[in-house]
Amino acid sequence: MVSFLQVWSAVPAHREGTHAKFVITSFSSVSKKPASLSHADAASLPYVACTVWSALCTVSGLDHHNTHGQRVLVLAGSGGIGNFAIQLMKAWGAEVTTLCAADGIDQVASLGADRIIDYQAEGASEELRSLAGFDVILDNVPKSSVTYPDAGRLLKSWKCSKYVSVVTPLLSNTDAYGVLGGSVAALGELALRGLQSSREGKCYRWALFVPNGQALATVAGLVDRGQIKPVVDTVFDFEQMPLAYEHVRSGHLRGKTVVNVAKCR
C-alpha cells in the first residue's frame, strides 16, 4: 500500500509551474498541510504566511515569546496579507490596530483586530494619530492615504520600533531604469528612509516573500488549533483562469483568490 504525505508550500519565484498540477521544489520550502483544511483553503495561506513571516518575524524580530503586548499597526486589514498578519499577531498576544474600508470592518473584526479604522471616514487620520506609539507598522498597501514618512511618525521614538513595507519600488524602478539603474534607485530610497528614521531611534525596512517550510510548519499548528483560519474570497476552476486574474486585478478583495487545479482536465 502506498501512502502520500499531504504537504503545502509557497513555491519560489524561480521555479517553473505556476499553475501546474505538480511542481518540483526544495524540501526546505515544504511542510505538512494542516489536517483541518481542505486543499483549496490550504492553498490560500502559504504565500501570505511566508510574506508576513518575512516582514514581522524575520525583519521585525517578533515571535511567540516576545510579541505579547506589542502594539502593531497593519495598514490594510481586509486583504490576504492583512488578514493573516492580524491573526498571527493576535495568536501571539499583540494589540492590533488596522485600517480598512467600511465594507470590510465586520470581516476584520472577526479575525480579532482590537481597533479598526475606516480609512475613508471623516476624521480617520486624526483618530489614527491619537493612537500613535506603535512598536511595529506593517505597510502592505501599494497606494495608500497613509504613507511613510507620515505613518512613520506613529511609531514609538527611541524604542527600536520598526516600519516594515512589503511594497517596494524595486520592480517598478527596474522596469523604468533597467536592472542596474533600478536597483541603485531603490537602494538609494531605502538608505534615505533608513537614515531619516534612525534620527528618531526608529527603523525603516523592506521585506520580501521568502519560502519558509519551518514557518509553514508553525502556521499549520496554529491553524489546526483554530488560531488562524483561511479567508478565501473566491475559488475558480482551472478553466476559469482568465476570470481569476480579472478578479484579482479588480482590487478590493476580501481574502485570497484560489484556482482549483485539481479539476483541471
Side-chain angles (χ1 to χ4, degrees):
M1 179 177 178
V2 178
S3 61
F4 295 92
L5 180 66
Q6 296 187 359
V7 300
W8 65 345
S9 175
V11 179
H14 66 276
R15 299 280 185 179
E16 295 182 354
T18 303
H19 301 303
K21 275 190 173 182
F22 302 98
V23 65
I24 297 174
T25 189
S26 59
F27 180 80
S28 62
S29 66
V30 173
S31 83
K32 290 180 64 176
K33 180 184 79 70
S36 60
L37 294 186
S38 68
H39 286 282
D41 282 342
S44 71
L45 285 176
Y47 177 78
V48 293
C50 289
T51 303
V52 170
W53 194 278
S54 176
L56 295 181
C57 303
T58 305
V59 175
S60 298
L62 298 178
D63 58 36
H64 68 284
H65 295 295
N66 64 14
T67 302
H68 185 81
Q70 293 283 299
R71 299 190 66 219
V72 177
L73 171 63
V74 179
L75 290 185
S78 58
I81 288 176
N83 286 172
F84 185 85
I86 291 168
Q87 294 184 87
L88 180 64
M89 292 294 94
K90 289 306 301 176
W92 288 348
E95 177 188 311
V96 179
T97 299
T98 192
L99 287 74
C100 67
D103 62 353
I105 290 177
D106 288 344
Q107 174 196 311
V108 171
S110 72
L111 302 178
D114 298 285
R115 294 183 179 85
I116 305 168
I117 299 174
D118 177 359
Y119 69 90
Q120 297 173 325
E122 184 177 352
S125 296
E126 291 75 12
E127 182 179 0
L128 186 57
R129 282 196 292 269
S130 72
L131 298 172
F134 293 100
D135 298 288
V136 176
I137 296 177
L138 175 62
D139 181 356
N140 56 322
V141 191
K143 295 180 180 178
S144 173
S145 58
V146 183
T147 58
Y148 197 87
D150 291 336
R153 299 188 181 99
L154 301 172
L155 289 168
K156 293 177 179 177
S157 296
W158 303 108
K159 295 291 184 180
C160 294
S161 56
K162 297 177 178 66
Y163 185 101
V164 183
S165 176
V166 296
V167 184
T168 78
L170 184 59
L171 291 179
S172 60
N173 283 350
T174 299
D175 289 340
Y177 308 116
V179 175
L180 180 59
S183 299
V184 170
L187 291 174
E189 181 177 333
L190 176 61
L192 176 61
R193 291 188 173 183
L195 179 61
Q196 291 172 336
S197 63
S198 67
R199 293 173 180 172
E200 297 179 338
K202 305 172 183 178
C203 296
Y204 178 91
R205 297 288 186 269
W206 290 345
L208 302 173
F209 158 74
V210 178
N212 189 331
Q214 289 186 331
L216 290 178
T218 300
V219 171
L222 293 170
V223 170
D224 283 337
R225 291 194 295 273
Q227 293 178 282
I228 290 179
K229 61 183 180 182
V231 181
V232 176
D233 181 273
T234 311
V235 178
F236 291 90
D237 290 339
F238 184 82
E239 289 76 12
Q240 299 174 302
M241 187 77 70
L243 293 177
Y245 274 94
E246 288 297 327
H247 183 66
V248 171
R249 192 177 293 115
S250 69
H252 296 287
L253 305 180
R254 297 294 175 254
K256 296 299 292 180
T257 300
V258 175
V259 174
N260 190 352
V261 298
K263 293 186 178 181
C264 176
R265 296 173 184 174

